[in-house]
Amino acid sequence: DTGVSQNPRHKITKRGQNVTFRCDPISEHNRLYWYRQTLGQGPEFLTYFQNEAQLEKSRLLSDRFSAERPKGSFSTLEIQRTEQGDSAMYLCASSLVAGQETQYFGPGTRLLVL
Amino acid sequence: ILNVEQSPQSLHVQEGDSTNFTCSFPSSNFYALHWYRWETAKSPEALFVMTLNGDEKKKGRISATLNTKEGYSYLYIKGSQPEDSATYLCALGNYGGSQGNLIFGKGTKLSVKP
């Protein structure tokens, strides 16, 4: 499978715990994006990388969120001290370049914070 | 706040019916419009990227049109099949000079009954 993969697919955690998600983009894609979708909403942009550089962060990305993309390959998104409001689907996408290039999405990680 | 509006929110049709949805967006600073289909438990699938006023694109029984001057796009499905059941999302790309993140609508959820 040469598509975007995400792990885990589901995560249940208790409030206050830290969680980390992983995204493996399509191998030749230099751009990687993180989005979050909450119930009844469309996906909302969180952050993106071009190679290993994090170039933009949304105001939705609070101090408890951190994303990395070491060596410009896979990316991780960590949420510290999770809150119930963090419960959402976290989507990763990758693309070749900016502009109108299609972003290819992974299946997402569904997080439930109890 | 930039709003991408989609209507209707949900739609129930019988197999064989043709249907269409609307995506509305601000007409100024337009760069690109993306359509995605998202089936439950799967990755969002890219359908079309449209950039020019008057663009029409087709993929099998699905087609889309774009009017950038009045700020809307239509997605048409001819002869709906149960496998067309999904949420259809539209998204603006590179709006206002942003660096490539997509701004999504809330989606139209289509259910096709056999």
Side-chain angles (χ1 to χ4, degrees), chain A residues 9 31 35 45 48 99 103 106-107, chain B residues 36 41 43 94 99-102:
Chain A
R9 294 289 303 273
R31 287 215 165 187
Y35 294 84
F45 170 74
Y48 89 92
Q103 293 185 21
Chain B
Y36 285 86
S43 303
N94 297 85
Q99 294 296 308
N101 55 287
L102 298 176

Side-chain angles (χ1 to χ4, degrees), chain B residues 26-58:
Chain B
S27 56
S28 59
N29 298 317
F30 175 85
Y31 190 88
L33 185 86
H34 300 244
W35 279 101
Y36 285 86
R37 175 171 62 196
W38 194 2
E39 296 179 63
T40 302
K42 295 187 178 180
S43 303
E45 175 195 357
L47 292 175
F48 307 113
V49 180
M50 308 173 79
T51 57
L52 298 176
N53 184 46
D55 256 355
E56 291 188 26
K57 296 212 172 178
K58 188 174 181 181

Side-chain angles (χ1 to χ4, degrees), chain B residues 60-89:
Chain B
R61 294 179 291 99
I62 303 177
S63 61
T65 60
L66 178 67
N67 184 324
T68 61
K69 293 184 178 180
E70 295 182 42
Y72 65 83
S73 175
Y74 293 141
L75 188 79
Y76 301 92
I77 302 178
K78 184 178 178 182
S80 302
Q81 300 296 307
E83 58 265 30
D84 296 328
S85 297
T87 295
Y88 291 81
L89 293 162

Side-chain angles (χ1 to χ4, degrees), chain A:
Chain A
D1 185 8
T2 57
V4 178
S5 62
Q6 293 187 245
N7 288 289
R9 294 289 303 273
H10 302 272
K11 179 71 177 178
I12 299 174
T13 191
K14 292 182 179 179
R15 189 176 52 185
Q17 298 294 306
N18 299 344
V19 294
T20 300
F21 311 140
R22 175 177 171 130
C23 170
D24 287 89
I26 295 172
S27 59
E28 63 268 26
H29 285 184
N30 56 358
R31 287 215 165 187
L32 186 148
Y33 307 81
W34 284 99
Y35 294 84
R36 179 178 73 182
Q37 188 206 27
T38 53
L39 195 63
Q41 302 296 317
E44 296 172 294
F45 170 74
L46 292 178
T47 188
Y48 89 92
F49 293 83
Q50 180 155 313
N51 300 314
E52 66 274 10
Q54 188 173 16
L55 295 186
E56 191 173 343
K57 293 194 281 188
S58 160
R59 58 180 173 77
L60 293 175
L61 211 67
S62 76
D63 291 344
R64 296 184 296 104
F65 288 70
S66 62
E68 294 182 344
R69 193 184 182 195
K71 302 179 184 178
S73 55
F74 70 93
S75 176
T76 57
L77 179 68
E78 181 183 17
I79 309 175
Q80 296 182 325
R81 306 181 302 281
T82 53
E83 301 173 355
Q84 288 184 325
D86 297 330
S87 297
M89 173 74 85
Y90 290 84
L91 290 163
C92 174
S94 68
S95 72
L96 272 172
V97 293
Q100 69 269 33
E101 283 290 336
T102 296
Q103 293 185 21
Y104 295 88
F105 281 82
T109 295
R110 184 169 291 283
L111 172 66
L112 178 60
V113 182
L114 300 177

